[in-house]
Amino acid sequence: MKIGILGAGTIASTLAETMNRMKNAELYAVASRSIDKAKSFAKRHCVPKAYGSYEEMLDDPAVNLVYIATPHSHHAAHMKLCINHQKPVLCEKAFTFNAKEAEEIVTLNKKKKVYVAEAMWTRYMPSRKMIDDMIASGVVGKIHTLTANLSYNITHKERIMRPELAGGALLDVGVYTLNFALMHFGNEIERIASCAKMTDTGVDGQTTITLFYKDGRVANLTSGIYARSDRKGIFYGENGYIVVENINNPQSISAYDSEDKLIEKKKVPPQITGYEYEIEECMSQLRIGETQSESMPLEASVELMKLMDKVRACWK
C-alpha cells in the first residue's frame, strides 16, 4: 500500500523511518508547502515522490493512504482536504483543536465514506491489552486511583508556543494522559477539575486534571512543556500498585504488593518505533473496506476532544 505524508517535520521523519523498515507499507510520497523542503525530506528518507503542495500529492492516483503530520491547528482543514480528494486519512494526534471540528470530520466521513482515523499510537500498541489484562487479573486488588504524567522540555518548539498553531501542553502531551485514563478507566466521568499555568504567549504551559468517576475512582493527571517528567502511569489498588513505564510509549508493566515488593513484570514486545501498529491496523481496515479504526474509532476521538474542551473551560 502506497502512503503519502502530508507535512515534512519531525513527526513525518519518524513516520518515514518507521515505514521504511516495515514489510507491507510503502512510503511513496511527501508533500510540503515548500518544494525544496519536500525534496530535501524525500532525499533523506528515500521517498520516490516529492510535492510542493498538498493538493498536488492528493491528485496523485497512486497514493492509497495519507498520514497528516502538520500542526494541530491545521488537522481539521487537512483532513477535509484529503477526504474531499477521496484519500483515506490517518491523522496525527490531537485529532483536531476542539470537539466542533472533530464532529465536522465525522459528518464528512459518513457522507464521503472515506477512511479516517486518529493516530493515537498507544491505542494500537500491544501494551494496551497487557495493561488491561494485569488490572483484570486482580494482582493488586480493586483499583481506586490512577495517576499519569507526561512532560518534556519543548518550549523551543514554535508549534508548542504559538496559540495560532494550537500550541500548549494539553493538546501535545496532556492528551496522552487523558487518553491513558480513558483507555483504562473508561469514560463514565461524573466531574472534572483542572487548572493551568499559562505562558507569556497565551498557551498552557503546565496543566493538572482530576477526573472523578461515577463509581468513585479518581484519575490525577499532569502535563507540561518545561521539564522532563518520569512519564509513569500508576494504578493504586487495595493490595498494591501497578506501574507503567512511559505512558507515551509503554516499555514495561510492573505490579508491586503493599510492601513495595515486585510481584510481576511484563515487558512489551520489540518494536520499530511504535508507530507501526497504527499503520498496520489502518492498512488492514482499508483492505476490508472499513471507514474508521477499530482501536481508535471516531467516537473515541470526539469524546477525547469533548473532554479537552471541558478541561479548558475549567481554566476560565
Side-chain angles (χ1 to χ4, degrees):
M1 190 169 289
K2 293 183 176 180
I3 302 174
I5 300 178
L6 197 153
T10 303
I11 290 295
S13 291
T14 304
L15 263 296
E17 175 192 343
T18 306
M19 284 185 269
N20 282 334
R21 294 169 62 188
M22 292 176 68
K23 293 180 180 179
N24 300 321
E26 181 183 348
L27 178 53
Y28 169 76
V30 62
S32 173
R33 289 173 297 181
S34 161
I35 186 60
D36 290 338
K37 188 173 182 179
K39 285 181 176 179
S40 176
F41 184 98
K43 185 177 180 180
R44 289 198 315 273
H45 298 288
C46 302
V47 187
K49 296 283 186 177
Y51 293 104
S53 76
Y54 302 145
E55 290 83 358
E56 193 177 1
M57 184 180 79
L58 297 178
D59 284 334
D60 186 337
V63 175
N64 306 122
L65 169 65
V66 176
Y67 192 104
I68 293 176
T70 51
H72 307 133
S73 54
H74 294 64
H75 286 180
H78 291 159
M79 278 192 278
K80 290 176 183 178
L81 186 64
C82 291
I83 296 167
N84 285 323
H85 277 77
Q86 292 293 307
K87 295 296 186 184
V89 177
L90 186 56
C91 182
E92 178 60 32
K93 63 80 201 162
F95 191 57
T96 54
F97 175 66
N98 55 34
K100 180 179 180 292
E101 289 184 349
E103 288 169 338
E104 289 173 357
I105 297 300
V106 172
T107 298
L108 193 58
N109 162 265
K110 290 178 180 178
K111 180 181 178 181
K112 298 289 188 177
K113 294 180 171 56
V114 176
Y115 184 95
V116 182
E118 180 179 3
M120 178 62 73
W121 65 336
T122 51
R123 288 261 178 169
Y124 303 82
M125 293 176 177
S127 56
R128 177 182 179 180
K129 185 176 185 302
M130 293 171 66
I131 295 167
D132 284 339
D133 286 347
M134 188 174 286
I135 292 170
S137 73
V139 65
V140 297
K142 184 179 179 181
I143 291 172
H144 292 268
T145 307
L146 172 160
T147 64
N149 72 80
L150 190 64
S151 299
Y152 295 100
N153 182 359
I154 47 179
T155 55
H156 59 283
K157 295 187 177 183
E158 184 182 25
R159 65 177 180 82
I160 295 294
M161 302 306 295
R162 288 174 57 183
E164 66 270 27
L165 294 180
L170 180 64
L171 283 171
D172 199 72
V173 287
V175 64
Y176 282 116
T177 66
L178 286 167
N179 175 68
F180 188 80
L182 291 177
M183 277 200 301
H184 304 299
F185 264 20
N187 55 18
E188 293 296 314
I189 299 166
E190 183 176 69
R191 181 166 57 94
I192 299 170
S194 179
C195 58
K197 176 184 177 182
M198 308 304 287
T199 67
D200 292 339
T201 61
V203 301
D204 57 301
Q206 292 189 132
T207 66
T208 63
I209 303 167
T210 302
L211 307 178
F212 297 91
Y213 282 79
K214 294 177 181 179
D215 61 5
R217 292 177 301 169
V218 176
N220 290 307
L221 316 171
T222 59
S223 60
I225 62 174
Y226 299 110
R228 168 70 174 267
S229 69
D230 61 26
R231 305 176 298 173
K232 290 180 180 179
I234 305 177
F235 300 90
Y236 297 91
E238 294 174 338
N239 305 316
Y241 54 95
I242 295 170
V243 179
V244 177
E245 294 291 345
N246 189 4
I247 65 163
N248 190 32
N249 183 5
Q251 301 301 301
S252 66
I253 306 106
S254 304
Y256 297 84
D257 66 16
S258 55
E259 301 297 324
D260 299 326
K261 180 182 178 181
L262 180 64
I263 306 169
E264 181 181 358
K265 182 172 184 176
K266 293 183 177 180
K267 291 187 176 181
V268 303
Q271 60 184 31
I272 298 173
T273 61
Y275 286 96
E276 64 267 29
Y277 299 111
E278 61 191 20
I279 297 169
E280 286 169 356
E281 180 180 295
C282 184
M283 294 191 298
S284 176
Q285 294 293 91
L286 280 171
R287 290 190 187 101
I288 60 174
E290 295 292 336
T291 58
Q292 58 180 295
S293 165
E294 181 179 5
S295 297
M296 189 66 180
L298 291 174
E299 180 183 1
S301 293
V302 172
E303 180 132 29
L304 186 53
M305 296 312 306
K306 284 182 177 179
L307 188 56
M308 286 196 283
D309 283 354
K310 291 177 181 178
V311 166
R312 284 184 288 233
C314 293
W315 304 342
K316 296 178 181 178

